[in-house]
């Protein structure tokens, strides 16, 4: 079964070209779109932030779209925040992202020889995980006692195998999507799913930090 997901736009290429791309996008903006002043990410001053704004339209809601550029040779739309609504639905979010991508960002990127990738709106767990890692997650879920929060030692070993596998595969599965899968597809209670999602995020973060330390 497929799950609706917030789509992502990632543009890859040489850092200096990526820095010029927002200027090229700005030249193409029409139909209620505009660019706002470049910012610095307060959490990481080395990351430049390029905000764009769209007015409300026939189907589109008024919102700010945020592109982030770090030194990883990736320019990424990290979020779209509504101006008037409390939050955007998957459909509202993806509509804005696709309009920005198809009309402005992707044509400008391709003209500069950059690679633009838009993720799918509807995904299954096997779109986000390699087959062996998906099986590890399914084995954990099928054998674990959902009422006791997977506290058995065998459950913990299966969970570790899944998290390590997701890390090694550099999986795009995020904690919120994992939580939804546990609830919607695997039948886990909300509390248990919340706990596992936090464990997953913490585990991935710890493994990444360990990898960075070993490389240093």
């Amino acid at each position: 079964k497929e799950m609706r997901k917030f789509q992502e736009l990632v543009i890859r290429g040489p850092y200096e070209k990526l820095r010029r791309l927002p200027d090229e996008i700005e030249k193409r903006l029409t139909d209620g779109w505009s660019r706002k002043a470049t910012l610095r990410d307060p959490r990481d001053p080395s990351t430049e932030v390029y905000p764009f704004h769209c007015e409300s339209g026939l189907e589109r809601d008024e919102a700010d779209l945020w592109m982030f550029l770090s030194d990883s040779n990736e320019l990424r739309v990290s979020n779209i925040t509504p101006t008037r609504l409390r939050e955007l639905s998957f459909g509202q979010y993806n509509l804005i992202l696709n309009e920005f991508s198809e009309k402005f960002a992707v044509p400008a990127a391709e003209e500069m020889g950059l690679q633009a990738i838009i993720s799918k709106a509807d995904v299954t767990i096997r779109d986000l995980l390699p087959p062996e890692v998906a099986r590890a997650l399914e084995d954990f879920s099928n054998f674990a006692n959902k009422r006791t929060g997977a506290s058995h030692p065998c459950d913990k070993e299966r969970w570790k195998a899944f998290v390590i596998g997701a890390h090694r595969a550099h999986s795009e599965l995020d904690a919120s999507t994992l939580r939804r899968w546990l609830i919607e597809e695997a039948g886990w209670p909300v509390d248990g799913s919340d706990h596992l999602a936090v464990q997953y995020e913490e585990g991935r973060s710890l493994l990444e930090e360990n990898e960075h330390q070993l490389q240093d």
Side-chain angles (χ1 to χ4, degrees):
K1 184 180 176 181
E2 292 184 330
M3 296 180 291
R4 179 55 59 92
K5 192 174 184 291
F6 293 120
Q7 289 177 268
E8 296 181 344
L9 170 65
V10 178
I11 301 170
R12 298 188 176 121
Y15 181 78
E16 288 305 320
K17 278 192 175 184
L18 292 174
R19 287 195 72 192
R20 297 202 311 272
L21 180 58
D23 294 335
E24 297 304 314
I25 293 173
E26 183 178 9
K27 294 174 185 177
R28 297 170 179 263
L29 296 178
T30 57
D31 191 28
W33 280 89
S34 58
R35 182 180 174 187
K36 303 171 83 171
T38 300
L39 304 170
R40 292 278 179 179
D41 185 348
R43 298 164 299 179
D44 181 5
S46 66
T47 298
E48 293 185 341
V49 185
Y50 306 101
F52 293 83
H53 180 79
C54 64
E55 301 294 338
S56 59
L58 188 61
E59 297 180 346
R60 184 182 68 205
D61 294 283
E62 186 177 345
D64 291 321
L65 179 148
W66 305 85
M67 300 189 85
F68 279 62
L69 174 64
S70 61
D71 58 2
S72 61
N73 292 337
E74 283 189 352
L75 181 61
R76 175 184 297 268
V77 174
S78 64
N79 200 10
I80 301 174
T81 54
T83 305
R84 297 174 183 172
L85 299 177
R86 185 173 180 182
E87 62 182 16
L88 296 171
S89 68
F90 290 110
Q92 292 167 322
Y93 186 104
N94 292 343
L95 184 147
I96 293 170
L97 179 70
N98 277 280
E99 180 180 349
F100 178 79
S101 301
E102 293 170 8
K103 286 186 176 181
F104 317 124
V106 172
E110 290 178 345
E111 191 172 280
M112 295 178 69
L114 300 167
Q115 180 189 24
I117 302 167
I118 305 173
S119 65
K120 296 197 298 184
D122 299 298
V123 297
T124 68
I125 200 68
R126 290 182 179 268
D127 290 321
L128 301 172
L129 295 169
E132 66 276 9
V133 183
R135 282 195 297 272
L137 174 59
E138 289 162 353
D139 286 346
F140 161 76
S141 180
N142 290 336
F143 288 107
N145 187 329
K146 297 176 176 65
R147 290 176 297 177
T148 61
S151 58
H152 192 279
C154 290
D155 297 337
K156 292 180 179 179
E157 289 304 312
R158 293 189 188 98
W159 175 255
K160 288 177 186 177
F162 156 62
V163 176
I164 292 170
H167 166 72
R168 287 177 175 169
H170 304 287
S171 165
E172 296 179 6
L173 178 68
D174 57 50
S176 62
T177 304
L178 173 62
R179 176 186 179 275
R180 288 182 58 209
W181 182 87
L182 290 166
I183 295 169
E184 297 173 17
E185 304 296 322
W188 281 77
V190 172
D191 288 350
S193 300
D194 288 344
H195 179 66
L196 289 171
V198 170
Q199 281 193 336
Y200 174 75
E201 193 166 46
E202 290 176 345
R204 290 287 301 266
S205 178
L206 186 62
L207 288 166
E208 287 170 11
E209 178 61 29
N210 180 64
E211 193 171 90
H212 291 152
Q213 289 185 9
L214 290 174
Q215 289 173 351
D216 293 341

